[in-house]
Amino acid sequence: MPAATAEFTVENGKPPRLVLGGDWRIGAAPPLPDLRGSCGLSFDLSAVGEWDSSLPSWVVRAIESAEDAGLEPDLKSLPEGVAKLVALARAVPERATGDKGGKPNFVERIGAAAQGAWRGGVSACDFTGNAAISLAKTLAFRTPLRWRDFFALIQECGASALGIVALISFLTGLILAFVGAVQLRLFGAEIYVADLVAIAMAREMAALMPAIIMAGRSGAAFAAHLGTMKVSEEIDALTTFGFSPFDLLATPRLIALTLMMPLLCLYSDAIGILGGIVIAWGMLDLPMIQYWNETVSSLHPEHVIIGVVKATAFGLLIAASGCYYGMRCGSNAAAVGRAATSAVVAGIVLIVIADAIFAVLCHILDV
C-alpha cells in the first residue's frame, strides 16, 4: 500500500499545483508543504488511491494555509466527491464552545454575566408578555381550553397533592403548637396556643408550605414536561402547524395551579389547626371545645383572605417559573434536568420575595 504523498510544484508556464498521491488513511497523512511564494494554487489528485476522511480534512487545512499565505486556491481542480466534502466542511463554522486556551479574566466574567442577565431579563419579559396575552384571550373566551387536558392538570395540581400537603400541614401545626406551648406554659397562658396556630397557619404557613411543596412537585413537573417536548421538537411542530404553544401548553398550567393553590391553602389551614388540637389535647390537657372556641374567636376573616391571596400569587409564580424554564430548555436530556432544577429554585426564590412584599404591604395597610 503506497504511502500518502503531497508535493507542491511550481513549473514554468503552468499554475502552481499541489500534487497528492498514494493511499490516504487516518494518522498517515503527510505534513503540509510550504505554500509560500506563489499567487495561486490548484490541486492534482489523479495519483490518489484509496482514501478516507483524512484526505478532505487535509485538503481543508491546505486551503486555509494557502489563504493565510495570500494564495487563491482553485477548488474546481478538486474531484467532485472531495470538493463536496470540502465545501460542506467549510460551510459549517467552528463551534464557539471549545477551549480557547485560558480562563477569562475578571472583566470578561463580569461582561459575560451582564450579558447573560440582560438576555435572561429580555427572555423573561417576552415570556411574561406572551403569557399575559394568552391568559387574556383565554379568559375572554377567544381561545378555547382543551378541557380534557385542563382537568387532568387540575387533578395533578390539586387532588394528587392532598396527601403530601396534609402531612406537611399537620406537622407544621404540630410544631407551631409545641413550640408555643413550651413558652406559653411558663406564663400559664397555654390557651393562647390556639391563637398562635390559627393565625400563623391562616396568614403565613398554609400559603407558604404548600407553595414550596408545589414548587418542587408541579413546578418541576411542568418544566420537565415542556422541556421534553422542546427536546423532541413537539413545541416547534405546534408552531409550524400554526398553534400557539402558550395557548396549548402554558396557559392551562397557569390557570390550573392558580386555581388550585387557594383551595390547598384552605385545606392546609384545617389540617394545621388539627395538628394544634392534637398538641393541646395530648400535651396541655386543654379541652377540645375550649381550644376550638379560642381558635374561632382569634381567627378573623382577613387572616384567611390574606393567606388565600398569597397562595393565589404563589401558584401563578410557580406555574410561570415551570413553564418559562421548560419552554426555553436546551436540546438534550441534561438540559431537561437543568430546566427542572432551575424551575424549582426560581419558584422558591420568587415565593420568598413575594412573601416579603406581602408582609410589607400588610404592614403598610395595617391588616
Side-chain angles (χ1 to χ4, degrees):
M1 182 176 65
T5 59
E7 182 180 358
F8 183 58
T9 61
V10 180
E11 301 177 2
N12 293 331
K14 294 182 179 181
R17 293 185 303 160
L18 190 57
V19 182
L20 308 183
D23 293 335
W24 288 70
R25 293 287 183 267
I26 294 176
L32 285 173
D34 187 1
L35 302 179
R36 293 174 297 178
S38 178
C39 60
L41 177 67
S42 63
F43 294 89
D44 183 357
L45 277 67
S46 59
V48 173
E50 298 179 356
W51 57 275
D52 56 19
S53 59
S54 63
L55 177 62
S57 64
W58 191 94
V59 171
V60 169
R61 289 190 289 115
I63 292 173
E64 293 174 349
S65 178
E67 291 175 343
D68 292 340
L71 305 182
E72 297 181 2
D74 180 14
L75 302 183
K76 295 181 180 179
S77 61
L78 291 170
E80 182 180 1
V82 177
K84 289 182 178 179
L85 293 175
V86 169
L88 181 62
R90 288 170 60 83
V92 179
E94 183 180 359
R95 294 185 62 182
T97 57
D99 186 7
K100 298 182 180 180
K103 295 182 178 180
N105 57 38
F106 178 75
V107 176
E108 291 175 337
R109 292 198 299 271
I110 293 294
Q115 290 179 343
W118 174 259
R119 288 192 295 267
V122 171
S123 178
C125 291
D126 178 69
F127 175 86
T128 303
N130 287 327
I133 293 172
S134 180
L135 276 173
K137 291 192 299 183
T138 302
L139 296 178
F141 301 102
R142 294 176 56 190
T143 301
L145 279 176
R146 298 177 62 186
W147 292 104
R148 177 177 297 180
D149 295 341
F150 179 71
F151 285 126
L153 290 169
I154 288 287
Q155 181 178 359
E156 178 187 347
C157 298
S160 299
L162 290 179
I164 184 64
V165 170
L167 175 62
I168 298 301
S169 300
F170 181 81
L171 294 176
T172 301
L174 209 72
I175 292 169
L176 289 173
F178 180 80
V179 173
V182 170
Q183 297 300 318
L184 292 174
R185 176 179 286 177
L186 300 176
F187 306 97
E190 295 93 336
I191 189 60
Y192 293 110
V193 169
D195 302 62
L196 170 66
V197 174
I199 296 175
M201 288 299 301
R203 292 181 66 103
E204 196 71 35
M205 304 307 293
L208 188 61
M209 297 307 295
I212 293 176
I213 294 170
M214 299 308 290
R217 190 179 182 277
S218 296
F222 290 171
H225 189 181
L226 297 182
T228 303
M229 294 183 70
K230 184 71 178 296
V231 171
S232 59
E233 299 182 352
E234 294 178 58
I235 294 179
D236 295 334
L238 290 174
T239 305
T240 301
F241 281 106
F243 298 105
S244 170
F246 280 90
D247 295 343
L248 292 178
L249 302 175
T251 301
R253 287 168 169 80
L254 291 171
I255 296 176
L257 192 54
T258 304
L259 289 178
M260 286 298 101
M261 278 301 297
L263 301 180
L264 291 175
C265 176
L266 296 175
Y267 177 71
S268 179
D269 282 334
I271 300 298
I273 291 174
L274 178 62
I277 290 176
V278 170
I279 288 294
W281 176 67
M283 180 178 173
L284 302 177
D285 296 327
L286 290 175
M288 287 190 182
I289 187 63
Q290 184 181 2
Y291 185 94
W292 177 253
N293 290 334
E294 185 66 24
T295 298
V296 172
S297 64
S298 64
L299 192 60
H300 301 296
E302 60 265 24
H303 300 320
V304 180
I305 292 173
I306 290 172
V308 169
V309 171
K310 283 184 179 182
T312 305
F314 294 165
L316 182 61
L317 292 174
I318 294 166
S321 176
C323 294
Y324 170 72
Y325 284 101
M327 297 186 74
R328 68 189 298 266
C329 174
S331 57
N332 53 48
V336 176
R338 288 194 297 269
T341 302
S342 299
V344 175
V345 173
I348 293 175
V349 171
L350 290 174
I351 288 169
V352 174
I353 294 174
D355 192 48
I357 293 174
F358 274 114
V360 173
L361 291 177
C362 289
H363 176 72
I364 294 174
L365 299 175
D366 195 23
V367 292

